[in-house]
Amino acid sequence: AGGPDAGIGMKFLAGALTGGFGSILGNPFDVLKTLAQTNTKGEGLGLLVGNLYRDQGMGGFYRGVQVNIMRACVLNATKMGVYDATKGFVTEQTGWGRKDIKTSFSAAFVAGFFMTLTVSPWDMIRTKLMNQPTDAKLYDGFADCAAKTIKEGGVLSLWRGFIPIWARFAPQATLQLLTIEMIYNQMGYSGI
């Protein structure tokens, strides 16, 4: 996927696979982060972990894992695919080189927007699944949560929080992708 002749589909696939694998490893920490952030009783992390394990066993640490994998696949595929495609478009339209900082910055900013557009629904469902009480099950998985969310707030409710998410993704994607490009260039690689 890193070759100059690699198609956009390969770049989306590479991004999706790396995102999916990373989300499997990180899911327990996402669940704990969500529980800690929504903890209104002031319980310590140790108690939250203990309650989750007591009520749901090891499976509790992987609740929402399916949507987390899908979210990560969509996020990383969008980031890498849109970034690469936009770099090509910016190069063609402006005459700037692919390694020009203006090209990379523009492409990263656009990628951040499309990441937000494609990931917001997954974030909404993931947060609702992970935020369920440890001793109750409000949703029977991804499809049930999505259906209840849409029924309750309409389809556009899946994009609730779009602006704050974009405010996070745009600079994150820009800094991340510019840093990767700088490291690649310093090491003599061709870049993305």
Side-chain angles (χ1 to χ4, degrees):
D5 56 348
I8 192 166
M10 184 58 72
K11 297 204 185 264
F12 273 90
L13 179 63
L17 290 175
T18 58
F21 181 71
S23 67
I24 292 170
L25 297 176
N27 201 81
F29 303 105
D30 273 343
V31 169
L32 292 175
K33 173 200 67 139
T34 303
L35 286 175
Q37 288 177 332
T38 58
N39 175 16
T40 57
K41 298 176 185 172
E43 297 168 326
L45 186 59
L47 187 57
L48 291 172
V49 169
N51 289 345
L52 181 62
Y53 184 75
R54 179 195 68 221
D55 295 338
Q56 297 182 12
M58 284 304 293
F61 294 95
Y62 283 91
R63 63 183 178 176
V65 71
Q66 298 89 350
V67 72
N68 208 18
I69 291 169
M70 291 182 275
R71 176 200 177 271
C73 289
V74 168
L75 183 143
N76 286 299
T78 302
K79 176 173 43 178
M80 301 313 292
V82 169
Y83 178 69
D84 184 64
T86 304
K87 275 183 81 173
F89 178 78
V90 168
T91 300
E92 289 174 12
Q93 296 300 310
T94 65
W96 301 337
R98 282 188 69 85
K99 289 187 176 188
D100 190 316
I101 188 83
K102 295 178 291 200
T103 303
S104 297
F105 181 85
S106 301
F109 189 79
V110 170
F113 174 79
F114 281 98
M115 286 166 55
T116 308
L117 193 63
T118 59
V119 169
S120 291
W122 303 101
D123 266 349
M124 176 64 73
I125 303 304
R126 177 183 81 150
T127 300
K128 286 186 169 210
L129 286 170
M130 290 181 176
N131 195 33
Q132 297 178 89
T134 61
D135 60 350
K137 193 171 185 182
L138 304 176
Y139 307 104
D140 278 329
F142 167 75
D144 182 53
C145 184
K148 287 178 179 174
T149 301
I150 292 168
K151 183 178 180 183
E152 185 179 290
V155 172
L156 291 179
S157 70
L158 295 172
W159 283 271
R160 190 175 296 133
F162 182 88
I163 298 298
I165 295 169
W166 188 27
R168 184 182 109 214
F169 277 159
Q172 174 195 3
T174 302
L175 291 172
Q176 184 181 56
L177 293 165
L178 289 176
T179 301
I180 290 169
E181 292 283 8
M182 287 174 31
I183 291 169
Y184 276 14
N185 289 336
Q186 291 296 318
M187 297 181 77
Y189 295 115
S190 62
I192 298 173

